[in-house]
Amino acid sequence: MIRFLLLTLCLLSIAQAQLPLELTPGTRIAFIGNSLFDRMRDDGSFEALLHQRFPQHHLIVRNLAWSADEVALRPRPDAFGDLNQHLTEHQADVIFAAFGFNESFKGDKGLAEFETLLKAFLIELKSHRYNGTSAPRIVLVSPTPAEKPHGHLNGQIQSYAKAMQKVAQAENVGFADVSKSAVLLASSPQSPVTINGVHLNAQGYRLFAEDLFRATFDETAPTLNEGLRVAVVEKETKFFQYYRPLNYYYIKGGRAEPYGVVNFPGELEKLKQMVGNRDQLIWDIATGKKLVRQQAVSPAVSALVDDSNTRPLPSITGDRPVNEWLSAADELKAFKIDPRFEVTCFASEEDFPDFVKPIAMRFDAKGRLWVSTSTTYPQILPGQEPEDKILILEDTNQDGKADKCSVWADKLHIPLSFELGHGGVYVSDQPNLTFLKDTDGDGKADHREKLLTGFGTEDSHHSLHDFVWSPEGDLIFRESIFHHSQVETPYGPVRARDSSFFRYTPGTGKLLAFGGYMSTNPWGITFDDWGFHVGSHPVFASAVHALNAPYPDIHVPAGSYIPAYSGTCGQEFLSSSHWPEGLRKKHFMRVRYKPTNEVELHEWVEHDTHFEEKKVGIVFQSTNLSFIPVDIQQGPDGAMYVADWYNPVKGHMQYSLRDTRRDKKSGRIWRITAKGQPLEESPKIAGTSIPDLLGLLKSENYRTRYRAKVELWEKSSAEVLPRVTDVKEPPLHQLLELFWVVSPHLHVQPFPWQVIVQLSEQPVPTARAAAARALRFAPAATLQSELFARLANDKSGLVRMEAAIAASYIGTPMALEAGLDLLKHPMDSYLTYALRTSLDSHTLQPLWKGNTEFMAKHPELVVFLKDSEPKKPAVMAKKKLAEKADPFDAQPGLQIITIKSVPERLLFDVREFTVKAGTPVKLTFENPDVTPHNLLVVQPGAADEVGMAGNEMAKLPDGMAKGFIPDSPKILEKTRMLMQNESQTLRFKAPAAPGRYPYICTFPGHWLVMKGEMVVE
């Protein structure tokens, strides 16, 4: 009898899964899958139609989709939980599942595997009782068709849709095939239904909603209620904040302790209640209980919601000491300035109420300074909307101080960086790359387009930053540790984790991930005159440009091979005529926020295989540690401008994200000039003719050339290319600049091989290196193997390095063979890293890994792979073995403790250990981290006092030389400041008094989180 009942229930479940779908009151619906549904949360049309069709059912709809999700690949943040957990939390009765698009890029070879994985996935879903009583009813949804310029994808899309239909029939689940949608395929260039050929725009989602409704219910959709649709979007916005909040690593991940566990559980509960209130609003509108006009906008709909029934949130004020807040005038007095320079305040919160918390800045072609600001950082509060801005500052009377401030864009979500271009602004708008534009010329952005989404947000100050145009006209940006990004593009999914660079080509919409290895949160990208990438992690960042390893692998850490560190926020070359001749061109300023707060002066020194920085001075250092420089850029007048976040609370993880002492009212821009030096006359760029813009490419001023190229890149191929060919016999560097000008047009123009050959034959190594770098963008079909081989065997290490990296972009057997030619020449750590990461790239690795025939042919590769493993930890281990015997260690009762720093985490791996009072202790501290650390054992209760004293040493020029170890009788034991892969052993008698003795790292700011306790019994 029981078996009969179970069979009956199974058959009922199968019957219910068929289309047309029947819904009952209170049905809970979940959307899962890829960007088709993930982006749908911004539209709301389909869900609105559901509520219109079933107004009395009080449907509950939750969108759990994620950009670029695949049936068997769904990366999530640390401790996020799997799909089954979230479907259980939301008690799904019905599941709409959109898959097939990202899988389709595997082509016919991947079809069989896709069918197998999809079948297994459906079986797993059906095995659960997410609602507690019955298996879910499932509707598979095919990809939508592509349109120009990606219409060629439709063949593979339809093949995968057929596979989905086959599996759906076999597993008795519903299937909605929109891959051949007549209305979507009927689009035209004049009326597109996508933003990029594959992702639907607003009109596309309206049509898709009607198609999906028809396929699901076998009836025509009702006329869309616009007010209801807006209410759905309002609910989706709040649910997104609940389901995918920023700073997840601090909410449930590895840094939830000690602060996140205090405030975030209550915040998530409040958001959940707010979502429920918006469910009620949707039901009220659907049933006519609340009337909303058809032209309703979000603020009007939001005003209909009463959230007074949600839980109140506590005000959190930490008890850890913070730095002193000063007015702009008093802060300036705290600067210790090199007498060669002068520093003045260009803008502050005292001048303009909107100018608060600047993060990034860029000058435009008109000489105006654009600044992104964020009071939302570090985390939006439940019930609030993002209100971050992009401002325009102007110095209309040319007196060196801003006198006009305009709000160009608002409602942004922690815009860590941005860049001007193509008539608008590309901005980090977590978790999106967003494009903004002012289409009506009123000085305010009125067009907003989500170009790409799915970038990691596990740490809101590690999200997309460092926006800069590469010399070739691609947008370069980066994210940092803890993040898991997966971005759906017309060229296939792009995934990265734990830090990566990205290269976005606006002309094609293509996204590449490169330089992916575990690093901290380095900020600031600059390129020198020859296109070499300058950073901090690593310093010579050109060496890390190989494409990423096959996901989820990442490259070996750059810091184990070449100089790399964090604590800085950018650098800028002194290239204008304003600077003294001795500093010009070969020097740059770097802004540093830890351990000291200063603007540094460095020389850029060329070597055979790399460039290195040489610190030659400090432009100014602040004795007020609330000075936090976050960006630097040379202005059109030749002066240097520094953005100052200015905040007494210094650090993301060191204090609660909700600490009320986090400043929300201050912000400054400092202007640095050279004493006695005339300013440079600002060049005319905006509105300048193409020939004159091309003439500016001969300027010695890097920023003049940069802004001229940005202006030229906005022109069409028809406008620019004939003018470029009109330039006769350009000087060498202008020839390179002209190649960079035409680079964004290479997808519609033949590759200029003649120029590359000409550059490759120059006596200047940096020119030949630029030629080798250009091969990354050459069509493989026309690539000249002889040219590539010649560059890979060049006498200059810089050229060979660029050739090795280019091999990962070309990704052919010929490129692999040419890259291995580097092993015929002397290798150092820079060339080793470049070649190793190129070989490990997702393009080259499949050509040799597991290929026994190839490996047998290249025994030198076997040796190189072994020898190129990171060596520094092994070196440290050898040093430990070679340690001389110490009589102290022969004492009876010796307790041996080893503590290590956790790389990139600001943590000790041992948080507590116990010793007996008065016994001998041998404590070895090892630092495998790229960041310097020490270990101090202090008296009970003295951790804050000693830690803050270490912070204060950041004001001293010799603070680092003293290891940030304050002169305090409360320090019982201490190591020196250890660099990466150094160790030191402390030998001491445990205190006679029982108690809990803290040990901390006093590198400024670290003591707040990098701590533990020695328990004496």
Side-chain angles (χ1 to χ4, degrees):
M1 183 66 179
I2 294 176
R3 183 179 299 177
F4 173 79
L5 289 173
L6 289 174
L7 179 60
T8 302
L9 288 172
C10 182
L11 291 173
L12 284 173
S13 177
I14 291 172
Q16 289 174 336
Q18 302 306 302
L19 301 184
L21 186 67
E22 294 183 5
L23 300 180
T24 56
T27 297
R28 305 178 73 94
I29 299 170
F31 296 130
I32 66 173
N34 55 37
S35 293
L36 178 61
F37 282 169
D38 182 45
R39 286 175 171 264
M40 190 169 71
R41 71 180 80 250
D42 298 328
D43 177 74
S45 295
F46 181 65
E47 183 179 341
L49 293 177
L50 291 177
H51 292 292
Q52 286 181 243
R53 174 61 180 80
F54 303 97
Q56 304 297 333
H57 280 25
H58 288 189
L59 304 176
I60 296 176
V61 183
R62 299 292 180 255
N63 192 331
L64 308 180
W66 207 293
S67 169
D69 259 4
E70 296 183 21
V71 167
L73 184 56
R74 301 183 298 276
R76 295 294 187 265
D78 182 38
F80 186 83
D82 64 17
L83 179 61
N84 289 322
Q85 289 174 282
H86 288 275
L87 288 170
T88 300
E89 176 189 351
H90 299 291
Q91 300 176 304
D93 300 304
V94 174
I95 298 173
F96 285 84
F99 291 104
F101 177 73
N102 297 287
E103 294 91 337
S104 72
F105 287 93
K106 296 176 184 176
D108 291 343
K109 293 181 180 179
L111 272 171
E113 180 187 40
F114 174 63
E115 289 184 15
T116 301
L117 293 173
L118 182 59
K119 182 181 180 69
F121 179 67
L122 293 176
I123 291 172
E124 181 188 3
L125 290 180
K126 292 189 295 181
S127 71
H128 289 270
R129 302 295 183 263
Y130 300 116
N131 60 11
T133 58
S134 60
R137 289 172 287 158
I138 302 168
V139 180
L140 282 180
V141 181
S142 77
T144 54
E147 63 180 358
K148 291 182 178 180
H150 300 290
H152 61 280
L153 298 177
N154 283 328
Q156 66 190 44
I157 286 174
Q158 290 169 15
S159 293
Y160 276 72
K162 289 180 182 177
M164 294 176 73
Q165 182 178 32
K166 175 182 174 183
V167 175
Q169 290 173 345
E171 292 303 317
N172 291 298
V173 304
F175 176 61
D177 187 0
V178 292
S179 66
K180 298 179 181 179
S181 168
V183 290
L184 293 176
L185 286 169
S187 65
S188 68
Q190 294 73 35
S191 183
V193 295
T194 68
I195 62 170
N196 56 7
V198 298
H199 293 127
L200 300 175
N201 59 19
Q203 175 62 14
Y205 268 114
R206 301 297 192 279
L207 298 173
F208 166 71
E210 295 172 0
D211 262 9
L212 183 56
F213 188 93
R214 186 180 303 107
T216 303
F217 301 107
D218 195 24
E219 59 184 75
T220 302
T223 302
L224 181 66
N225 181 327
E226 181 64 17
L228 184 56
R229 185 194 68 80
V230 173
V232 168
V233 173
E234 163 68 16
K235 182 263 298 182
E236 283 293 330
T237 299
K238 290 296 180 288
F239 180 71
F240 190 78
Q241 292 174 11
Y242 168 80
Y243 176 57
R244 289 172 57 179
L246 270 59
N247 292 301
Y248 208 88
Y249 201 67
Y250 297 77
I251 295 175
K252 295 184 179 180
R255 286 183 174 174
E257 297 277 0
Y259 302 118
V261 294
V262 175
N263 63 285
F264 283 119
E267 292 187 19
L268 292 176
E269 181 59 30
K270 183 180 181 72
L271 281 166
K272 199 172 183 179
Q273 293 169 340
M274 296 175 72
V275 172
N277 288 342
R278 281 146 186 80
D279 283 330
Q280 186 64 55
L281 174 63
I282 290 169
W283 301 335
D284 289 347
I285 295 174
T287 58
K289 186 175 179 180
K290 287 187 178 179
L291 299 178
V292 180
R293 59 189 178 90
Q294 279 294 310
Q295 293 76 28
V297 293
S298 183
V301 172
S302 300
L304 298 174
V305 182
D306 180 8
D307 287 320
S308 61
N309 63 339
T310 61
R311 65 177 295 163
L313 297 177
S315 176
I316 297 176
T317 301
D319 56 1
R320 290 288 176 80
V322 298
N323 298 313
E324 183 182 12
W325 185 93
L326 298 175
S327 67
D330 288 337
E331 185 189 8
L332 180 58
K333 295 175 184 177
F335 292 164
K336 294 184 289 186
I337 306 171
D338 184 316
R340 295 174 294 175
F341 302 100
E342 184 175 0
V343 180
T344 58
C345 184
F346 179 74
S348 78
E349 74 278 1
E350 298 169 14
D351 304 313
F352 309 107
D354 285 317
F355 186 71
V356 180
K357 311 321 304 165
I359 303 179
M361 58 183 183
R362 302 289 184 268
F363 282 94
D364 69 7
K366 296 179 180 179
R368 304 176 300 175
L369 182 59
W370 296 53
V371 185
S372 65
T373 65
S374 178
T375 55
T376 303
Y377 172 86
Q379 180 103 358
I380 193 170
L381 277 167
Q384 294 185 356
E385 298 297 327
E387 288 295 341
D388 298 334
K389 301 177 176 69
I390 291 179
L391 310 176
I392 301 177
L393 297 176
E394 298 180 65
D395 176 9
T396 60
N397 59 8
Q398 303 297 306
D399 67 348
K401 188 171 179 63
D403 48 47
K404 182 180 178 182
C405 177
S406 308
V407 178
W408 187 79
D410 59 9
K411 302 187 186 311
L412 295 171
H413 198 194
I414 312 185
L416 294 182
S417 192
F418 70 96
E419 187 55 273
L420 306 166
H422 304 102
V425 170
Y426 297 86
V427 61
S428 171
D429 186 26
Q430 302 183 32
N432 312 318
L433 170 63
T434 297
F435 182 68
L436 306 173
K437 194 170 185 177
D438 172 15
T439 62
D440 58 11
D442 67 349
K444 293 185 182 298
D446 49 44
H447 170 78
R448 181 180 301 227
E449 185 174 319
K450 183 192 294 186
L451 296 176
L452 299 171
T453 188
F455 294 103
T457 60
E458 287 92 322
D459 183 316
S460 65
H461 85 308
H462 289 187
S463 295
L464 292 191
H465 55 274
D466 286 354
F467 282 34
V468 65
W469 292 113
S470 75
E472 307 86 9
D474 291 335
L475 189 65
I476 304 293
F477 44 88
R478 188 179 197 175
E479 65 179 7
S480 305
I481 196 170
F482 310 138
H483 283 205
H484 296 76
S485 289
Q486 56 168 12
V487 183
E488 192 171 294
T489 82
Y491 301 88
V494 175
R495 298 183 175 90
R497 68 173 180 89
D498 287 310
S499 189
S500 181
F501 289 98
F502 297 93
R503 176 185 289 268
Y504 175 70
T505 304
T508 63
K510 191 168 188 176
L511 181 72
L512 293 176
F514 68 95
Y517 66 92
M518 188 173 289
S519 68
T520 51
N521 56 330
W523 286 41
I525 295 177
T526 312
F527 291 91
D528 71 7
D529 287 345
W530 294 98
F532 291 107
H533 178 177
V534 189
S536 63
H537 205 302
V539 174
F540 184 60
S542 283
V544 305
H545 273 231
L547 292 179
N548 279 1
Y551 187 84
D553 293 341
I554 57 177
H555 285 312
V556 290
S560 295
Y561 298 77
I562 57 182
Y565 57 82
S566 62
T568 66
C569 279
Q571 52 283 320
E572 184 84 345
F573 281 94
L574 283 67
S575 61
S576 79
S577 61
H578 167 66
W579 304 108
E581 184 67 32
L583 296 178
R584 207 178 304 161
K585 302 288 283 180
K586 290 187 177 181
H587 290 78
F588 60 83
M589 291 184 186
R590 186 191 289 281
V591 291
R592 178 179 293 280
Y593 67 92
K594 72 175 184 181
T596 54
N597 302 52
E598 62 191 25
V599 178
E600 303 169 344
L601 187 64
H602 292 262
E603 184 179 358
W604 192 230
V605 182
E606 182 178 353
H607 296 278
D608 175 57
T609 63
H610 64 281
F611 282 77
E612 69 175 6
E613 65 177 7
K614 178 182 178 183
K615 187 176 180 180
V616 295
I618 298 175
V619 179
F620 72 87
Q621 181 181 11
S622 179
T623 58
N624 174 232
L625 301 183
S626 297
F627 167 63
I628 303 177
V630 290
D631 203 1
I632 182 169
Q633 191 158 108
Q634 185 174 269
D637 59 357
M640 202 68 76
Y641 294 75
V642 175
D644 179 4
W645 174 253
Y646 200 75
N647 204 318
V649 174
K650 183 179 179 181
H652 190 80
M653 66 176 289
Q654 289 85 343
Y655 297 82
S656 169
L657 298 185
R658 296 306 188 201
D659 196 317
T660 57
R661 297 172 298 172
R662 289 185 181 272
D663 183 86
K664 304 281 186 177
K665 63 180 183 180
S666 310
R668 290 94 195 251
I669 300 287
W670 302 102
R671 183 173 182 260
I672 306 171
T673 54
K675 287 183 178 178
Q677 294 285 121
L679 292 168
E680 186 166 285
E681 183 178 351
S682 299
K684 186 178 187 305
I685 296 177
T688 298
S689 68
I690 291 177
D692 287 345
L693 287 171
L694 294 174
L696 290 175
L697 299 181
K698 292 184 288 187
S699 171
E700 290 190 356
N701 189 323
Y702 172 81
R703 282 299 169 190
T704 295
R705 301 195 308 273
Y706 183 93
R707 294 171 190 130
K709 281 187 291 187
V710 171
E711 193 80 356
L712 285 163
W713 288 331
E714 296 190 1
K715 313 291 184 184
S716 69
S717 301
E719 293 175 288
V720 172
L721 297 180
R723 295 294 188 178
V724 170
T725 57
D726 288 343
V727 180
K728 305 302 181 185
E729 298 184 358
L732 175 59
H733 197 272
Q734 191 190 17
L735 176 66
L736 177 57
E737 292 281 0
L738 290 173
F739 168 71
W740 289 338
V741 166
V742 303
S743 291
H745 306 280
L746 293 180
H747 65 287
V748 294
Q749 294 292 324
F751 193 78
W753 283 112
Q754 183 177 357
V755 173
I756 302 307
V757 171
Q758 187 176 348
L759 289 169
S760 74
E761 295 172 345
Q762 297 298 319
V764 182
T766 48
R768 301 198 304 276
R773 188 184 310 122
L775 298 183
R776 303 180 192 179
F777 316 105
T782 60
L783 180 61
Q784 304 168 25
S785 58
E786 296 82 2
L787 172 62
F788 195 7
R790 175 160 58 83
L791 292 169
N793 289 277
D794 195 276
K795 63 182 180 181
S796 165
L798 282 170
V799 182
R800 298 197 302 275
M801 180 202 74
E802 292 288 3
I805 291 170
S808 72
Y809 290 76
I810 298 166
T812 62
M814 180 274 293
L816 174 60
E817 293 280 0
L820 290 177
D821 277 359
L822 265 72
L823 298 177
K824 300 175 182 177
H825 306 273
M827 299 287 288
D828 69 355
S829 58
Y830 290 87
L831 293 175
T832 295
Y833 191 81
L835 180 58
R836 174 61 190 257
T837 53
S838 182
L839 291 170
D840 284 341
S841 67
H842 66 86
T843 51
L844 291 186
Q845 190 184 102
L847 299 180
W848 62 264
K849 193 170 186 178
N851 186 338
T852 54
E853 182 180 351
F854 185 87
M855 298 301 284
K857 179 182 174 184
H858 291 281
E860 76 279 14
L861 175 56
V862 178
V863 174
F864 174 74
L865 291 172
K866 180 180 178 181
D867 291 346
S868 61
E869 286 295 314
K871 292 294 192 299
K872 290 184 178 179
V875 171
M876 189 169 70
K878 290 178 181 178
K879 288 182 179 179
K880 287 168 58 182
L881 292 174
E883 181 183 25
K884 293 182 180 179
D886 191 300
F888 183 92
D889 300 345
Q891 298 181 75
L894 177 72
Q895 294 187 251
I896 300 174
I897 309 294
T898 299
I899 300 176
K900 301 177 183 179
S901 64
V902 180
E904 316 292 1
R905 295 285 300 277
L906 295 188
L907 294 173
F908 291 119
D909 67 340
V910 176
R911 317 291 173 81
E912 180 177 304
F913 65 92
T914 302
V915 297
K916 293 183 179 181
T919 58
V921 178
K922 177 184 177 182
L923 192 161
T924 301
F925 175 49
E926 300 176 358
N927 181 30
D929 195 8
V930 69
T931 302
H933 298 296
N934 60 20
L935 186 151
L936 280 65
V937 182
V938 302
Q939 292 180 0
D944 287 0
E945 178 185 336
V946 175
M948 197 62 190
N951 271 15
E952 290 296 307
M953 294 184 72
K955 301 176 181 179
L956 306 175
D958 60 351
M960 182 64 180
K962 293 181 177 179
F964 297 111
I965 300 174
D967 184 9
S968 170
K970 296 184 178 180
I971 300 173
L972 303 180
E973 306 293 337
K974 61 182 183 293
T975 71
R976 67 181 185 278
M977 187 66 69
L978 302 182
M979 299 297 108
Q980 185 181 26
N981 295 313
E982 289 185 338
S983 67
Q984 183 177 348
T985 298
L986 301 176
R987 293 175 170 87
F988 58 91
K989 286 289 183 71
R996 304 184 75 87
Y997 291 77
Y999 53 92
I1000 60 174
C1001 171
T1002 56
F1003 188 100
H1006 291 189
W1007 60 279
L1008 290 163
V1009 289
M1010 198 167 181
K1011 57 189 177 181
E1013 287 186 319
M1014 177 178 70
V1015 180
V1016 178
E1017 296 179 341

